[in-house]
């Protein structure tokens, strides 16, 4: 990501492994298999984004596919090691795709017109192509494809849900920003947006929803269920981004962000507040938690229906 001086000062906050919740006994010992780079047959339309996969030693006949997107300064290997998805794949027999950003600083391109458009090119198109490859290669179940990520990976998760909604059943974002919030006014690839990162980008639910609709004009099909995590002490992508992301996805699903179905304090942990607007949109706001909210692997599986 092309960084301003202010942005560079926050890069350390944007970087770093996400810590997971405890795993099931079968998964606790660590991955049973190894991370593998896909170097042939993967049709990357950009020719730049690397694809890595984790395939457990035991694979379901029609496995689910989870796309796990790393943070700034991260790699596929780092997110493989620092997130719980490989161990959970061992326990539940699904495939994990770990894309790797090609950009300086390894943030994802969530700013260019190409990446923010269905079939427009850049990172989003490459990741969508990886999903198609994994479904074909491993005989995956197209009704069980999910995407998640932390920090820059959470930003890209929102972008993938907006640009390729037909691919994903559900998405979980750990400390990101709304889809399109980092858009570059002049269409720069992998550009920093300080207004957004500082929580100063505000819009109505309908305006945020229109940004999503404009990323895939004319799309009228199903959209992935969305779960949004953010910490109240996030100093990298400031806490107002939680509200803006919630406004975006409630707007997309035609919900009133000010009228949630339920608000549950101290859930799933003390200091966390879970707000449920519908079966499609849920937010988890973590009091006193910085950047990023630790990954909750088993809860992710429950939200994904795995």
């Amino acid at each position: 990501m092309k960084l301003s001086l202010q942005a560079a000062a926050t890069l350390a906050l944007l970087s770093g492994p996400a810590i997971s919740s405890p795993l099931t006994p079968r998964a606790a010992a660590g991955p049973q298999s190894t991370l593998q780079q896909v170097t042939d047959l993967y049709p990357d339309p950009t020719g730049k984004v690397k694809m890595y996969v984790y395939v457990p030693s035991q694979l379901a006949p029609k496995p689910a596919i989870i796309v796990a997107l790393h943070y700034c300064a991260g790699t596929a290997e780092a997110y493989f090691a620092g997130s719980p998805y490989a161990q959970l794949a061992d326990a539940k027999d699904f495939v994990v795709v770990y894309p790797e950003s090609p950009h300086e600083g390894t943030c994802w391109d969530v700013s260019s017109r190409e990446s923010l458009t269905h079939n427009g090119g850049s990172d989003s198109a490459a990741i969508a192509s990886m999903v198609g490859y994994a479904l074909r290669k491993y005989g995956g179940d197209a009704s069980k494809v999910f995407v998640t990520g932390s920090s820059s990976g959470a930003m890209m998760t929102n972008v993938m849900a907006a640009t390729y909604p037909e691919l994903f059943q559900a998405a979980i974002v750990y400390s990101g920003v709304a889809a399109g919030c980092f858009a570059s006014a002049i269409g720069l690839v992998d550009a920093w947006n300080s207004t957004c990162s500082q929580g100063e980008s505000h819009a109505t639910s309908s305006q945020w929803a229109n940004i999503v609709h404009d990323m895939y004009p004319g799309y009228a099909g199903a959209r992935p269920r969305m779960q949004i995590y953010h910490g109240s002490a996030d100093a990298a992508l400031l806490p107002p981004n939680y509200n803006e992301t919630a406004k975006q996805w409630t707007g997309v699903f035609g919900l009133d962000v000010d009228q949630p179905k339920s608000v549950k304090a101290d859930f799933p942990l003390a200091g966390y507040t879970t707000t449920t607007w519908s079966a499609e949109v849920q937010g988890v706001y973590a009091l006193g938690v910085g950047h990023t909210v630790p990954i909750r692997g088993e809860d992710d599986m429950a939200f994904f229906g795995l």
Side-chain angles (χ1 to χ4, degrees):
M1 186 169 286
K2 298 175 179 66
L3 301 176
S4 66
L5 290 177
Q6 180 184 6
T10 65
L11 183 57
L13 291 173
L14 283 162
S15 309
I19 307 302
S20 68
S21 60
L23 302 175
T24 59
R26 181 179 169 191
Q32 297 172 357
S33 189
T34 58
L35 186 68
Q36 301 289 333
Q37 184 176 2
V38 175
T39 57
D40 59 352
L41 303 180
Y42 154 50
D44 176 9
T46 71
K48 297 178 181 179
V49 182
K50 294 179 182 178
M51 178 182 182
Y52 293 81
V53 294
Y54 179 78
V55 182
S57 56
Q58 177 178 311
L59 193 61
K62 291 189 68 177
I65 309 290
I66 291 181
V67 178
L69 295 162
H70 65 72
Y71 41 83
C72 284
T75 61
E77 176 69 35
Y79 211 51
F80 165 73
S83 65
Y85 301 115
Q87 292 93 327
L88 288 163
D90 288 333
K92 298 178 182 294
D93 308 330
F94 58 78
V95 174
V96 189
V97 175
Y98 296 92
E100 185 169 291
S101 167
H103 308 292
E104 183 179 358
T106 68
C107 298
W108 292 100
D109 176 17
V110 292
S111 63
S112 75
R113 189 172 294 106
E114 291 80 7
S115 199
L116 297 177
T117 303
H118 179 78
N119 288 340
S122 195
D123 296 358
S124 64
I127 294 166
S129 184
M130 292 179 194
V131 171
Y133 172 90
L135 287 170
R136 294 189 302 272
K137 176 71 173 179
Y138 306 108
D141 186 340
S143 70
K144 294 181 180 179
V145 180
F146 311 97
V147 59
T148 185
S150 299
S151 190
S152 182
M155 299 186 209
M156 181 52 80
T157 296
N158 278 321
V159 168
M160 294 309 299
T163 53
Y164 294 92
E166 76 281 14
L167 293 182
F168 302 104
Q169 193 72 19
I172 301 175
V173 295
Y174 282 97
S175 306
V177 303
C181 190
F182 254 52
S184 168
I186 56 175
L188 293 177
V189 173
D190 186 36
W192 187 263
N193 188 318
S194 293
T195 301
C196 179
S197 67
Q198 293 299 301
E200 297 172 358
S201 294
H202 302 287
T204 65
S205 285
S206 61
Q207 288 169 333
W208 280 123
N210 285 338
I211 289 173
V212 170
H213 295 312
D214 288 345
M215 292 185 190
Y216 193 172
Y219 179 75
R223 294 188 181 272
R225 295 178 291 109
M226 303 298 300
Q227 188 175 56
I228 307 151
Y229 283 86
H230 217 99
S232 72
D234 195 323
L237 301 173
L238 268 60
N241 283 299
Y242 169 76
N243 296 323
E244 300 307 307
T245 307
K247 284 158 60 175
Q248 181 170 68
W249 292 111
T250 53
V252 167
F253 283 100
L255 305 168
D256 185 344
V257 71
D258 296 319
Q259 297 292 326
K261 183 178 179 181
S262 67
V263 179
K264 191 171 184 179
D266 295 320
F267 184 83
L269 294 174
Y272 284 46
T273 298
T274 296
T275 301
T276 302
W277 286 274
S278 69
E280 291 77 25
V281 187
Q282 186 177 75
V284 183
Y285 194 64
L287 185 65
V289 177
H291 193 83
T292 63
V293 176
I295 294 171
R296 297 192 55 78
E298 293 288 0
D299 290 348
D300 288 1
M301 297 299 101
F303 188 75
F304 288 156
L306 298 177

PDB file of all heavy atoms in Angstrom, residues 62 71 117 137 222 280 300:
ATOM      1  N   LYS A  62     -17.432 -33.294  -0.517  1.00  0.00           N
ATOM      2  CA  LYS A  62     -17.678 -31.986  -1.130  1.00  0.00           C
ATOM      3  C   LYS A  62     -17.331 -30.927  -0.087  1.00  0.00           C
ATOM      4  O   LYS A  62     -18.210 -30.401   0.593  1.00  0.00           O
ATOM      5  CB  LYS A  62     -19.133 -31.863  -1.589  1.00  0.00           C
ATOM      6  CG  LYS A  62     -19.504 -32.741  -2.770  1.00  0.00           C
ATOM      7  CD  LYS A  62     -20.888 -32.393  -3.294  1.00  0.00           C
ATOM      8  CE  LYS A  62     -20.916 -31.017  -3.931  1.00  0.00           C
ATOM      9  NZ  LYS A  62     -22.249 -30.695  -4.507  1.00  0.00           N
ATOM     10  N   TYR A  71      -3.329  -9.608   6.979  1.00  0.00           N
ATOM     11  CA  TYR A  71      -3.232  -8.187   7.324  1.00  0.00           C
ATOM     12  C   TYR A  71      -2.059  -7.536   6.592  1.00  0.00           C
ATOM     13  O   TYR A  71      -1.248  -8.211   5.934  1.00  0.00           O
ATOM     14  CB  TYR A  71      -3.022  -8.055   8.841  1.00  0.00           C
ATOM     15  CG  TYR A  71      -2.061  -9.093   9.374  1.00  0.00           C
ATOM     16  CD1 TYR A  71      -0.685  -8.907   9.307  1.00  0.00           C
ATOM     17  CD2 TYR A  71      -2.536 -10.312   9.883  1.00  0.00           C
ATOM     18  CE1 TYR A  71       0.203  -9.875   9.749  1.00  0.00           C
ATOM     19  CE2 TYR A  71      -1.654 -11.293  10.317  1.00  0.00           C
ATOM     20  CZ  TYR A  71      -0.291 -11.066  10.247  1.00  0.00           C
ATOM     21  OH  TYR A  71       0.582 -12.038  10.667  1.00  0.00           O
ATOM     22  N   THR A 117     -14.662  -3.311  -8.521  1.00  0.00           N
ATOM     23  CA  THR A 117     -15.652  -3.586  -9.561  1.00  0.00           C
ATOM     24  C   THR A 117     -15.680  -5.082  -9.864  1.00  0.00           C
ATOM     25  O   THR A 117     -14.630  -5.708 -10.002  1.00  0.00           O
ATOM     26  CB  THR A 117     -15.313  -2.822 -10.850  1.00  0.00           C
ATOM     27  OG1 THR A 117     -15.237  -1.425 -10.564  1.00  0.00           O
ATOM     28  CG2 THR A 117     -16.377  -3.056 -11.920  1.00  0.00           C
ATOM     29  N   LYS A 137     -10.781 -27.965  -8.292  1.00  0.00           N
ATOM     30  CA  LYS A 137      -9.684 -28.863  -7.925  1.00  0.00           C
ATOM     31  C   LYS A 137     -10.086 -29.851  -6.839  1.00  0.00           C
ATOM     32  O   LYS A 137      -9.713 -31.034  -6.876  1.00  0.00           O
ATOM     33  CB  LYS A 137      -8.489 -28.029  -7.460  1.00  0.00           C
ATOM     34  CG  LYS A 137      -7.301 -28.814  -6.950  1.00  0.00           C
ATOM     35  CD  LYS A 137      -6.558 -29.534  -8.045  1.00  0.00           C
ATOM     36  CE  LYS A 137      -5.281 -30.169  -7.523  1.00  0.00           C
ATOM     37  NZ  LYS A 137      -4.555 -30.888  -8.586  1.00  0.00           N
ATOM     38  N   ALA A 222     -28.599 -13.456  -4.232  1.00  0.00           N
ATOM     39  CA  ALA A 222     -28.365 -13.527  -2.785  1.00  0.00           C
ATOM     40  C   ALA A 222     -27.027 -12.879  -2.436  1.00  0.00           C
ATOM     41  O   ALA A 222     -26.099 -12.835  -3.256  1.00  0.00           O
ATOM     42  CB  ALA A 222     -28.375 -14.987  -2.343  1.00  0.00           C
ATOM     43  N   GLU A 280     -28.899 -12.070   8.718  1.00  0.00           N
ATOM     44  CA  GLU A 280     -27.888 -11.707   7.730  1.00  0.00           C
ATOM     45  C   GLU A 280     -26.804 -10.781   8.257  1.00  0.00           C
ATOM     46  O   GLU A 280     -25.697 -10.757   7.701  1.00  0.00           O
ATOM     47  CB  GLU A 280     -28.548 -11.038   6.515  1.00  0.00           C
ATOM     48  CG  GLU A 280     -29.395 -11.928   5.661  1.00  0.00           C
ATOM     49  CD  GLU A 280     -30.764 -12.220   6.260  1.00  0.00           C
ATOM     50  OE1 GLU A 280     -31.249 -11.401   7.071  1.00  0.00           O
ATOM     51  OE2 GLU A 280     -31.352 -13.272   5.924  1.00  0.00           O
ATOM     52  N   ASP A 300     -16.512 -18.526  14.559  1.00  0.00           N
ATOM     53  CA  ASP A 300     -16.559 -18.380  13.104  1.00  0.00           C
ATOM     54  C   ASP A 300     -17.227 -19.596  12.467  1.00  0.00           C
ATOM     55  O   ASP A 300     -18.050 -19.465  11.550  1.00  0.00           O
ATOM     56  CB  ASP A 300     -15.152 -18.239  12.531  1.00  0.00           C
ATOM     57  CG  ASP A 300     -14.497 -16.903  12.842  1.00  0.00           C
ATOM     58  OD1 ASP A 300     -15.134 -16.082  13.536  1.00  0.00           O
ATOM     59  OD2 ASP A 300     -13.351 -16.696  12.412  1.00  0.00           O
TER      60      ASP A 300
END
